[in-house]
Amino acid sequence: MTTTHATGGRGDGAGAAGLLARTRTAVDPRLRATVESLPGQVRRIARYHFGWEQADGTPSEGTAGKAIRPALVLAAAQALGGDPQQAVRAAAAVELAHNFTLMHDDVIDEDPTRRSRPTVWTVFGIPDAIITGDALCALALRLLAEDPHPASAKAASRLSACVIELCEGQQSDCAFEQRAPQDVTIDECLTMAEAKTGALLGCACALGALYAGAGEEEVDALDAFGREAGLAFQLIDDLIGIWGDPAHTGKPAGADLASHKKSLPVVAAMASGSSAADELAELYRGPAMDASAVRRAADAVERAGGRDWAQGQAADRMARAVQHLSRAVPDLTAADELLALAEFVTRRTR
């Protein structure tokens, strides 16, 4: 993989976009080859999920996603003086693990679309979606187990622990949905988000550090960096889930509100004790929201301060992330691309 630094500073979107494109070029061949090892129908479903095929098996030019997590693996390896090309298997493993969670999340959340096309469970059914997600998780671990790189065993152990933490976060998220709107606290929601989102971004950075031959303290620092960046990422993602443009998100406007999701801005808004918080809670206690109710709920979140709180928290988490990174990479110019990527995904608007 050719290594070029982000031009124009850490927050340069073009630099991050270039890194994501190069990551796809480096990782996609390994990802495709690994998916091809799956049997029959499971392979076909995985190809559809990644956007490589239509539901009828004909080729598709769809996207397999932004490649944020594999890019973190490669950028972390480079930041610590490693060769990103040596970490391609690890990057593909992280992407497989991420897509396992997406396939299961779509079933749990009953999401009808992802990446502007019908989700796997709506096309092939719930059993096949769950089974294929399981297979992607197993593939991720097998890819590391078969990697001759000396860091592969520690990487496999770390990814396994991360998957368990992801499951813990998902279970907490589901449990929140059974509780009254104002009973979920901000601290509980942040803990859930760290497990569900931050853990995998932290693991991606830690795997990159392992493949660069870093010591335990450096690996842990990169994990902490990824976790804080992951929380910032989730905060922005939750904002997009309320105010994102469907043309870019591939999901209906206000999808999280319509499904009564207790996302971070919503929980913060409900904790405000304001009249807007009471309005929001009442909407959440009612039936499924139509378009008019979704607009009222979004307005209530904003008036109750949920939007401003989430934006402020995202900035604070990124500042903490940089502090953790500086423990492992004192000269942050060596981590230009890692920082460009982290800031790119936490400043996105879609």
Side-chain angles (χ1 to χ4, degrees), residues 58-295:
T58 56
S60 172
E61 296 299 323
T63 175
K66 295 183 179 68
I68 290 167
R69 290 153 190 83
L72 285 172
V73 176
L74 303 185
Q78 179 176 307
L80 288 167
D83 177 4
Q85 189 62 41
Q86 297 298 311
V88 166
R89 278 178 178 256
V94 168
E95 185 73 337
L96 287 165
H98 172 54
N99 280 276
F100 134 71
T101 68
L102 296 182
M103 207 172 289
H104 283 195
D105 282 358
D106 287 342
V107 171
I108 293 168
D109 297 338
E110 298 182 347
D111 281 337
T113 59
R114 179 171 294 282
R115 299 166 185 158
S116 301
R117 67 194 321 219
T119 45
V120 165
W121 73 271
T122 66
V123 176
F124 298 97
I126 290 174
D128 277 356
I130 292 172
I131 290 164
T132 304
D134 292 343
L136 294 184
C137 183
L139 271 186
L141 296 173
R142 190 181 78 184
L143 195 56
L144 291 174
E146 294 177 350
D147 190 351
H149 193 283
S152 63
K154 286 185 178 180
S157 176
R158 200 154 193 130
L159 184 58
S160 297
C162 176
V163 168
I164 294 171
E165 189 173 356
L166 290 170
C167 292
E168 179 187 20
Q170 182 63 68
Q171 192 281 327
S172 296
D173 194 18
C174 292
F176 289 169
E177 301 309 306
Q178 307 304 314
R179 292 164 62 180
Q182 291 172 308
D183 285 352
V184 178
T185 69
I186 291 176
D187 284 346
E188 285 179 310
C189 207
L190 285 169
T191 299
M192 178 275 293
E194 179 178 350
K196 188 176 175 182
T197 302
L200 188 55
L201 270 71
C203 182
C205 294
L207 263 58
L210 284 170
Y211 273 70
E216 186 175 344
E217 288 187 10
E218 293 169 314
V219 173
D220 287 345
L222 264 292
D223 186 286
F225 164 79
R227 283 173 179 270
E228 292 290 357
L231 273 174
F233 175 93
Q234 186 61 57
L235 285 153
I236 298 302
D237 202 59
D238 284 352
L239 290 170
I240 292 170
I242 298 174
W243 290 283
D245 181 353
H248 297 303
T249 65
K251 295 185 177 183
D256 285 356
L257 295 174
S259 62
H260 292 187
K261 187 174 181 63
K262 297 180 181 69
S263 63
L264 285 159
V266 167
V267 172
M270 288 190 182
S272 69
S274 63
S275 59
D278 293 336
E279 292 174 37
L280 183 61
E282 186 63 29
L283 285 165
Y284 263 59
R285 281 191 290 267
M289 297 186 207
D290 58 17
S292 175
V294 165
R295 287 193 294 272

Side-chain angles (χ1 to χ4, degrees), residues 1-2 4 13-29 63 65-68 70-71 74 337 341 344:
M1 176 179 174
T2 303
T4 58
L19 172 59
L20 292 170
R22 295 196 308 279
T23 296
R24 275 281 165 232
T25 299
V27 174
D28 270 7
T63 175
K66 295 183 179 68
I68 290 167
L74 303 185
E337 289 200 327
L341 179 61
F344 172 72

Side-chain angles (χ1 to χ4, degrees), residues 44-66:
R44 178 187 170 198
I45 295 168
R47 286 173 177 164
Y48 172 82
H49 171 76
F50 281 108
W52 303 331
E53 287 186 357
Q54 303 287 0
D56 62 4
T58 56
S60 172
E61 296 299 323
T63 175
K66 295 183 179 68

